[in-house]
Amino acid sequence: MKKQTLENIAGWIFIAPVVILMVVFIIGPAIFSFGLSFKDYNLLKPDQSTWVLFENYKELISDPNFYQALFNTLKYSIVVVPVQTFIALCLATVANQKIRGKTFFRVAYYIPAVTSAVASASMFMFLFNTNGIANKFLGLFGFKAVSWFTDPTYALPLAMIMAIWSTVGTQMLVFLAGLQDIPSDVYEAAAIDGATGMQQFKSITIPMLSEKTMFVVVVGMIGTLQMFDQAFIISGGTGGPLGSTTTVVLYLYNKAFGENRLGYGSAVAVCLFIIIFTLTLLQKYYFEERPKRLERKVV
Amino acid sequence: MEKSVSKPMKFLFYFLTIGYAGIALFPFFWAFYTSLRPTKEAFKLNFDFSGLSFDTYINLIEKNDILKWYFNSIVIAVCVTIIGVVLSTMAGYALARINFKGKNIIFMTILGIMMIPGQITMIPQYMLLNEFNFVNTYVGLIIPFVFNAFNIFMMRQFFLSFPISLEEAAEIDGLNRFGIFFKIALPLAKPAVTTITIMTFMGSWNNFLMPNLLITSRDMYTLPVGMASLNSQYFSFPNQTMAGAMLLSIPMVILFLICQRYFIEGVTSSGIK
């Protein structure tokens, strides 16, 4: 047999299982989902399903509950992403200095990230119960005790605190890797020119880390827009109190599997897909085009 | 970059690092402490180390099928990990080293899949598994989760990054593609394989959304699904829910402490692409 034929056979033997799984569980379902979003499909009465074209989408954009879910998710994302990025950057900068116990800090910060969202949600619900230790601690600074997860004003902030707590460690590691890539002679040169630590941080560290920052922010946004586990546990699956913890994915879940409306649920999934896909494209553009743009500037 | 800093700065650094370590670890400490306390004291905020015991754990394990949930979680995580890692490694190798027809389109598709959120496939996946009666079965909880575009991408990058000369030498010695893969490439890929093994295991162990949907029978529960149900059942008994949280999270924390290096590699390499 010719060598190329052998290569083709070998290649396909190596890749075939993955291609089959990819088609059956990802590509097929993704395409199917688009089709389903134009149907009225009840899980319990599949034979009565009908094509409704844009009805699901029309209902979606006129459902105040969907807007609430979307608004909650955006609010969650807008608070969580900058805060966790900022904390992670500060911790990484500090952990990169000459201090003792680096390994301990790295381990301590990352432990929340390996913890299941179910476990961390139940721990936080206990810590933040009305008579709990978190309220007691905040009371030292003059804050009134609130019932975090039963009060619509505080349930989402509790989910935000939880998300920040779980993600900071991961992002810190990404920043730390970025910091270690900055050559030390850049700082030495700046120090010779008389730049203070703060100036060095502003004019060297932040610009040199911009790519990592962009990565962390986009990944953070994508992750927060898909938030489900914490909201599910805090609200016992309902998205309550008063819809204050309903996220887009929880809304999708409850419509599709609570009310058995799979077509409508698919329309929600398509909307989420469009939002996230756009974000990812922006990220790709940034990562792939930026070096080219910079090159052009230099030339 | 390491440079010496002034005393007050140093104090600030330690204040921040130690302070945040406290924030990161305190919930575990408090949860563990509470899980050891007797029920009537579980809501109290004082420190009293006299009545601590593992009774809550024993009670929780006796009254619920927690050992069965452990078993389910372990079986599923181990199978997803082994099958997933083997297939991803082979696929990554083929995409990096073998010139076969259709390679480019497959690689582009995998890159594309990394950009789509899992929720878009959730409903049809559920319908598919429901249609073929895979709800409440191990197969239904393993096979759909084996494909991982990111792992394939990472293995491809890894194989591209190491020198091809060894493989060429092996080819001259008469090894075919399979021999080269299993005898030369795979052993050299151990660090990357370990990293994706650990990340895949963690993902499967903590997976909640789909298992919660695909499991309706109590004795098929995985740990996160089971613990979520206990969370509402034992809501007013924090020592019980905290014991549950510990049973769910401690195995992962121990695994992390043992294999830190690979976890950290897994995170940092995801930031490189």
Side-chain angles (χ1 to χ4, degrees):
Chain A
M1 252 189 291
K2 276 206 321 235
K3 183 151 192 286
Q4 186 53 46
T5 321
L6 280 174
E7 285 282 274
N8 281 342
I9 294 171
W12 274 97
I13 292 174
F14 273 78
I15 205 104
V18 158
V19 170
I20 294 168
L21 288 168
M22 177 170 88
V23 170
V24 174
F25 291 108
I26 313 286
I27 299 175
I31 296 169
F32 192 80
S33 214
F34 277 96
L36 202 59
S37 74
F38 297 109
K39 272 184 136 176
D40 179 24
Y41 190 103
N42 188 318
L43 184 59
L44 305 175
K45 298 171 260 182
D47 44 327
Q48 288 174 27
S49 68
T50 49
W51 290 97
V52 294
L53 297 176
F54 287 97
E55 283 309 309
N56 287 329
Y57 290 95
K58 274 187 202 153
E59 185 183 338
L60 192 61
I61 56 171
S62 57
D63 181 3
N65 293 330
F66 175 66
Y67 283 108
Q68 191 186 18
L70 194 60
F71 186 65
N72 285 338
T73 312
L74 292 177
K75 201 158 72 177
Y76 174 82
S77 187
I78 285 168
V79 174
V80 170
V81 174
V83 174
Q84 70 189 12
T85 309
F86 177 75
I87 298 178
L89 181 59
C90 290
L91 290 175
T93 315
V94 175
N96 197 38
Q97 308 290 329
K98 246 189 194 149
I99 56 166
R100 281 163 205 266
K102 272 184 196 184
T103 316
F104 167 76
F105 291 124
R106 240 178 12 189
V107 168
Y109 298 164
Y110 194 62
I111 281 181
V114 302
T115 307
S116 138
V118 173
S120 54
S122 61
M123 290 193 308
F124 271 70
M125 284 176 80
F126 173 59
L127 252 67
F128 281 80
N129 78 60
T130 318
N131 304 310
I133 194 146
N135 272 339
K136 180 100 177 173
F137 178 75
L138 292 171
L140 297 177
F141 302 96
F143 291 99
K144 263 198 342 246
V146 296
S147 50
W148 288 85
F149 47 88
T150 49
D151 185 331
T153 326
Y154 296 105
L156 195 64
L158 177 61
M160 292 171 182
I161 295 173
M162 236 153 69
I164 294 166
W165 179 81
S166 340
T167 325
V168 160
T170 313
Q171 301 195 332
M172 190 214 63
L173 291 177
V174 174
F175 278 131
L176 203 55
L179 285 171
Q180 280 156 0
D181 288 343
I182 303 178
S184 59
D185 45 357
V186 181
Y187 289 100
E188 281 156 23
I192 292 169
D193 290 346
T196 64
M198 205 55 210
Q199 283 171 330
Q200 291 179 17
F201 182 72
K202 248 168 61 187
S203 334
I204 302 173
T205 313
I206 302 236
M208 295 283 255
L209 279 181
S210 65
E211 223 169 81
K212 294 280 183 215
T213 311
M214 181 69 187
F215 174 79
V216 158
V217 166
V218 175
V219 170
M221 280 170 77
I222 293 172
T224 47
L225 293 175
Q226 293 175 275
M227 196 270 250
F228 173 83
D229 297 6
Q230 292 95 336
F232 187 90
I233 304 292
I234 288 187
S235 66
T238 60
L242 294 176
S244 60
T245 58
T246 310
T247 61
V248 174
V249 181
L250 188 55
Y251 177 82
L252 186 169
Y253 187 92
N254 284 333
K255 286 287 171 189
F257 303 107
E259 299 175 17
N260 294 315
R261 299 180 59 197
L262 298 187
Y264 187 72
S266 296
V268 182
V270 169
C271 290
L272 186 67
F273 165 79
I274 293 170
I275 297 171
I276 289 177
F277 194 70
T278 316
L279 274 174
T280 326
L281 282 181
L282 284 176
Q283 179 210 13
K284 280 207 97 58
Y285 172 80
Y286 183 87
F287 275 110
E288 273 156 29
E289 296 297 314
R290 207 178 82 105
K292 284 184 214 154
R293 268 183 280 139
L294 288 178
E295 244 166 60
R296 247 179 272 137
K297 251 189 214 166
V298 174
V299 177
Chain B
M1 177 272 307
E2 293 191 352
K3 52 189 185 324
S4 46
V5 286
S6 61
K7 269 242 162 78
M9 275 305 261
K10 210 151 211 185
F11 177 78
L12 178 72
F13 288 166
Y14 279 111
F15 177 76
L16 287 174
T17 43
I18 295 171
Y20 197 80
I23 294 174
L25 297 179
F26 182 77
F28 291 96
F29 164 74
W30 193 246
F32 184 59
Y33 170 61
T34 303
S35 73
L36 299 177
R37 303 183 85 176
T39 303
K40 61 179 190 320
E41 287 183 9
F43 271 113
K44 287 188 188 158
L45 300 179
N46 62 336
F47 283 102
D48 172 9
F49 294 98
S50 58
L52 302 188
S53 73
F54 281 98
D55 291 353
T56 313
Y57 289 84
I58 295 163
N59 173 52
L60 206 59
I61 290 171
E62 269 172 3
K63 289 209 177 118
N64 301 281
D65 296 333
I66 290 181
L67 297 177
K68 181 74 200 307
W69 302 346
Y70 261 109
F71 177 78
N72 294 339
S73 269
I74 292 170
V75 168
I76 292 164
V78 167
C79 291
V80 167
T81 308
I82 293 176
I83 305 173
V85 168
V86 169
L87 297 185
S88 302
T89 309
M90 287 172 64
Y93 179 78
L95 292 171
R97 287 285 198 256
I98 307 178
N99 282 313
F100 60 98
K101 237 186 214 151
K103 172 168 137 173
N104 283 333
I105 184 155
I106 292 171
F107 181 59
M108 294 317 281
T109 315
I110 289 170
L111 283 184
I113 285 175
M114 284 167 66
M115 299 168 66
I116 61 176
Q119 288 78 19
I120 192 85
T121 56
M122 189 168 93
I123 292 172
Q125 269 186 13
Y126 176 79
M127 290 168 72
L128 186 72
L129 294 169
N130 199 30
E131 183 71 32
F132 292 97
N133 291 322
F134 282 124
V135 172
N136 286 320
T137 63
Y138 286 129
V139 175
L141 291 162
I142 294 169
I143 301 303
F145 305 98
V146 162
F147 175 83
N148 184 325
F150 180 73
N151 285 349
I152 299 171
F153 178 75
M154 212 174 128
M155 288 317 297
R156 173 189 177 265
Q157 299 306 91
F158 179 82
F159 284 119
L160 280 180
S161 76
F162 80 60
I164 200 165
S165 50
L166 263 177
E167 291 166 56
E168 282 168 351
E171 205 182 341
I172 295 166
D173 289 347
L175 277 179
N176 62 18
R177 271 294 171 199
F178 300 95
I180 295 173
F181 176 72
F182 287 106
K183 292 202 181 114
I184 313 284
L186 198 57
L188 287 171
K190 222 170 131 194
V193 170
T194 315
T195 303
I196 66 166
T197 301
I198 292 210
M199 297 319 264
T200 311
F201 187 87
M202 176 167 86
S204 176
W205 183 269
N206 290 341
N207 194 7
F208 175 67
L209 202 170
M210 280 304 274
N212 191 42
L213 195 59
L214 292 171
I215 308 170
T216 50
S217 115
R218 230 179 139 74
D219 66 42
M220 279 306 290
Y221 277 180
T222 58
L223 271 180
V225 178
M227 291 310 170
S229 82
L230 292 189
N231 208 38
S232 34
Q233 189 183 330
Y234 288 106
F235 192 70
S236 359
F237 301 95
N239 54 345
Q240 310 270 350
T241 55
M242 290 308 100
M246 290 297 106
L247 288 171
L248 172 54
S249 57
I250 282 176
M252 235 25 252
V253 172
I254 292 174
L255 186 68
F256 167 59
L257 293 177
I258 299 171
C259 316
Q260 280 179 50
R261 202 187 112 209
Y262 297 103
F263 277 89
I264 290 167
E265 230 148 74
V267 175
T268 45
S269 56
S270 73
I272 288 165
K273 51 163 190 180

